[in-house]
Amino acid sequence: MLYSTGLGHGDALHVSDLDPSRPGLEVFAAHENMAASGNRGATFRDARTGEILWDIPATVDTGRAASGDIDPRHPGAESWAVGGDAAWNSRTGHLMTAAGERIGETIPAANFLAWFDGDPLREIVDHTWDAATSQGTPTVSKWDFENETENVILSDTGARSNNGTKGTPNLQADLFGDWREEIVWRSADSSELRIYSTTDETELRIPTLMHDMQYRVAVAWQNTGYNQPPHPSFFIGDGMAPAPMPSIAVTGDPSGATDETAPVISGLPEDGALLPDTGELQLTVAADDPESGVRTLDVALDGTPVAPDAAIPLAGMSGERVLTVRAVNHDGLVATAEVRLVVFSDDGASAPPARASLHTDSGWRDGRHDGSFTVTMNLWWGTNGGAYRLYENGELIATRLLAPNTPMAQVASVAVAGRSNGTYVYTGELVNAAGVTATTPTTVVVTDAAPARPVVSHDNGDGDGAFTLTTNLWWGTNGSEYTLFENGVEIDRQQLTVASPAAQRAVTSIAGRSPGTYEYVAEFANDAGATRSAPITVVVR
C-alpha cells in the first residue's frame, strides 16, 4: 500500500491528471464520515503522496462528486460535489477550479461524465429519474458554463439507467477506436444492451483511450466496484498538451507468417538537395512491406509531424532542414531514414548565376603546402547565387548559404585541413532558383603534410657504449610523435609539441651497449604520415 489518507469511506473517486500545471496525477474524492474526514465533504489530493491540496467543507455525508473539464475559462479540470441538503440530485454545491478556487454555487449532475461530442470538454452523463417507478431515462448533457445549466444532447426513453439514483450506464468506454466514448445502456425491458456513439466530427487527434493502461483498468473497475467514469492517465480538456503516444508493439503479420525484413522507405528527396525559399517541398514519401504490411509511417520536418504527401511552403525557412521518416511493419520491425535539405534565399533571379572563380592560400604563409588551407570563391560582379557548393576531386565537401544582392560581389570561404600529400582539384557551383553555374577550378598539390626529414646525431666520441642520440628537425612541418629504432627495433617513443614550421628536437640516452656496431634511425610522425631520418652508425669498442 502506498499510503492511507485516514479520511474514511467515500462513494465517488476520480483519478487523473486533473491539474496539468502540477507534476503527476491528482485524486478528487467524496467523503461520508465527517468525523474521519474532519468535516471535509470532498478533497483534492496529490495522488502520489496523499497530500490534501484543497477541500470542500461539509457537515453531512457527501454522496456525489465529479471531476472533469467542463469550463474552458479555467485551466485543468473542474471538480464539484453536492451541497445544500446534500441530496443526490442537488444542484447546489461547490464548483471548483483545479487550483481550488470556487467559481460557482450551481453545479451540474455529479453522477457520471463522458467525452461524447467533438470538443475536449467532458459531458454530463445522468438520467431523468422517475421516483414512482424507480427508473431513470438516460441523458447526456452539455454544461452551459455561462448560464450554469445543462443542455441535453442525447436522451432515449427506450433505455434505462442502472444503480437507482446513481444513474450509471452498463458500461462506458472508448470502444470503437475514436477517443470519444461509447455509452452502453440496457433497454427499458432489459432485453438488450444498446451502444450509443457520437455523430459529431472532431479535429482533435488523440490515440484510442483503451491504449492508455489507466483508462483500460478504469473501464474494468466499472463492473468490479462502485461505478465511476473512466479517466486516462493524462489530461483531456481545453488547452491540453498533445496526448502521449501509447507504447504498443504488434507482433506477427496478419497471415501468421514471420516477417524478418523491415519496411522499405521510398520517395525521399535527395540528401543535400537545394531548394529556393520561394517554392515548396512536395513530399512523396512511401513505405512498402509485402510480408506483413506497413503499420505506421511517420514523417517529420525538423521534428514537426507532416503528412507523407504534404506540400510544404518554404517561405521563411532558409537554412538546413532535416526530414526524418520512420516506418513500422506489423511484426514490429522498424525502418528509419533521414535526409538533410538546404533552403536558400531567392531574390527573384531570372537567370543562372554569373561565373565565379576559386583560389586557395596554400603555401602563402610560409611556403609549405601542408594540407591545411582555405578555398575561397569570388563572384566579382553579376547575377548572384543563393547557395554555393564546393567539390574536392568531384566529391561534395561543403555547402554554404549566400545572401543574394545582384549584381554585387559575393564571397565564400571553406577551410580545408588534414589533407595528406597528393593532388586536389577543387570545383564549385553557384546555385539560384533559375539554374546552376560552375566556377573556375583550382588545384592544390600538397607536398608537406607529413613531417620534414629529421637528422640524427650522437656524441659517442669515446666509443664506451654510453652516449646520447639527438634528433633535430631544423624547419618544416612538425611531427607529433618521435620513434627511435636501433638495428631496426624500436627502443624509444616520445610525444612531441607541434609548432610548425619551428624546429623540433628529441633526445634519447643510451647506456650499457657492448662492443659492436649499432645503426640508428629516427622517425617523426603526424596524422598525415611518417618521415624517417637517414641512418647513422655508432661503433662501441
Side-chain angles (χ1 to χ4, degrees):
M1 182 173 67
L2 188 60
Y3 59 82
S4 175
T5 65
L7 297 172
H9 176 73
D11 288 347
L13 184 143
H14 304 264
V15 181
S16 187
D17 190 4
L18 303 174
D19 183 356
S21 70
R22 297 184 71 256
L25 306 181
E26 291 76 38
V27 177
F28 182 65
H31 305 295
E32 67 178 36
N33 187 326
M34 294 299 99
S37 69
N39 288 112
R40 298 180 179 98
T43 55
F44 190 87
R45 309 191 300 266
D46 184 294
R48 184 178 66 86
T49 65
E51 175 191 1
I52 298 174
L53 303 174
W54 53 264
D55 62 74
I56 295 174
T59 58
V60 296
D61 176 2
T62 302
R64 299 286 193 277
S67 186
D69 190 13
I70 60 172
D71 188 339
R73 298 173 300 181
H74 306 281
E78 286 70 50
S79 301
W80 60 100
V82 293
D85 61 3
W88 68 269
N89 57 353
S90 174
R91 292 300 181 266
T92 298
H94 285 64
L95 180 58
M96 311 289 288
T97 68
E101 175 190 358
R102 187 176 185 179
I103 55 174
E105 297 180 1
T106 301
I107 62 171
N111 277 332
F112 236 66
L113 301 165
W115 286 291
F116 201 76
D117 62 7
D119 65 49
L121 300 180
R122 216 159 191 197
E123 282 68 60
I124 311 302
V125 178
D126 196 31
H127 59 177
T128 301
W129 179 249
D130 185 344
T133 62
S134 294
Q135 292 188 333
T137 299
T139 61
V140 178
S141 301
K142 194 75 175 174
W143 177 245
D144 182 347
F145 49 85
E146 292 178 331
N147 298 305
E148 297 184 328
T149 187
E150 296 178 38
N151 296 321
V152 175
I153 60 175
L154 173 68
S155 179
D156 185 357
T157 58
R160 293 293 182 266
S161 60
N162 302 287
N163 292 341
T165 59
K166 289 189 175 182
T168 56
N170 293 77
L171 181 71
Q172 177 182 308
D174 179 10
L175 297 175
F176 297 155
D178 186 351
W179 61 271
R180 276 83 59 82
E181 296 174 290
E182 281 68 48
I183 306 175
V184 181
W185 282 295
R186 60 190 174 93
S187 61
D189 61 1
S190 295
S191 64
E192 62 187 18
L193 294 176
R194 298 179 176 183
I195 302 175
Y196 297 80
S197 186
T198 185
T199 58
D200 293 337
E201 296 182 353
T202 183
E203 296 182 356
L204 186 60
R205 294 175 63 85
I206 300 176
T208 303
L209 298 186
M210 291 293 279
H211 287 321
D212 182 81
M213 290 305 297
Q214 176 177 311
Y215 184 87
R216 184 180 287 269
V217 171
V219 169
W221 79 44
Q222 289 181 75
N223 287 309
T224 59
Y226 279 21
N227 294 62
Q228 307 288 316
H231 294 276
S233 62
F234 56 92
F235 174 70
I236 298 180
D238 187 70
M240 66 180 288
M245 296 301 294
S247 178
I248 301 171
V250 178
T251 59
D253 73 44
S255 68
T258 299
D259 188 350
E260 298 180 352
T261 59
V264 177
I265 297 171
S266 61
L268 287 171
E270 180 184 357
D271 190 37
L274 291 173
L275 305 168
D277 63 0
T278 52
E280 66 178 21
L281 172 62
Q282 177 61 61
L283 297 180
T284 56
V285 180
D288 182 58
D289 193 297
E291 291 83 12
S292 65
V294 176
R295 186 179 74 200
T296 60
L297 176 61
D298 298 311
V299 184
L301 182 64
D302 290 340
T304 300
V306 296
D309 59 352
I312 304 170
L314 298 176
M317 297 183 66
S318 181
E320 185 178 272
R321 305 293 167 185
V322 180
L323 184 73
T324 54
V325 181
R326 184 177 189 270
V328 184
N329 66 18
H330 285 285
D331 209 34
L333 299 177
V334 179
T336 60
E338 177 179 290
V339 296
R340 297 184 179 274
L341 309 172
V342 180
V343 181
F344 63 85
S345 297
D346 175 21
D347 64 349
S350 58
R355 193 177 195 197
S357 60
L358 297 183
H359 69 267
T360 78
D361 61 0
S362 180
W364 285 13
R365 184 176 55 188
D366 52 29
R368 293 179 306 116
H369 297 278
D370 62 355
S372 294
F373 49 89
T374 299
V375 180
T376 301
M377 178 279 298
N378 280 291
L379 175 67
W380 303 112
W381 188 90
T383 302
N384 281 193
Y388 159 62
R389 283 173 160 170
L390 179 64
Y391 297 84
E392 180 184 76
N393 294 338
E395 182 178 346
L396 179 67
I397 62 169
T399 300
R400 296 286 185 268
L401 292 175
L402 306 175
N405 188 23
T406 301
M408 305 304 291
Q410 287 184 299
V411 63
S413 295
V414 176
V416 178
R419 298 303 187 263
S420 57
N421 290 346
T423 300
Y424 301 87
V425 178
Y426 293 93
T427 56
E429 293 175 338
L430 276 181
V431 182
N432 65 18
V436 180
T437 302
T439 68
T440 62
T442 190
T443 300
V444 175
V445 179
V446 177
T447 56
D448 305 306
R453 195 174 195 189
V455 177
V456 183
S457 61
H458 70 88
D459 61 359
N460 189 41
D462 56 9
D464 64 353
F467 51 90
T468 298
L469 293 171
T470 301
T471 302
N472 286 288
L473 187 154
W474 301 113
W475 186 92
T477 302
N478 283 190
S480 58
E481 187 176 67
Y482 153 75
T483 306
L484 182 66
F485 298 90
E486 179 186 73
N487 296 334
V489 178
E490 179 183 326
I491 62 170
D492 192 18
R493 183 182 294 265
Q494 300 175 26
Q495 298 302 307
L496 302 175
T497 300
V498 177
S500 300
Q504 284 184 302
R505 172 175 289 186
V507 177
T508 301
S509 296
I510 304 294
R513 293 300 185 264
S514 58
T517 300
Y518 299 87
E519 182 182 86
Y520 294 96
V521 174
E523 179 182 273
F524 278 17
N526 62 17
D527 290 340
T531 305
R532 291 193 172 191
S533 69
I536 66 166
T537 300
V538 176
V539 177
V540 177
R541 298 182 181 89

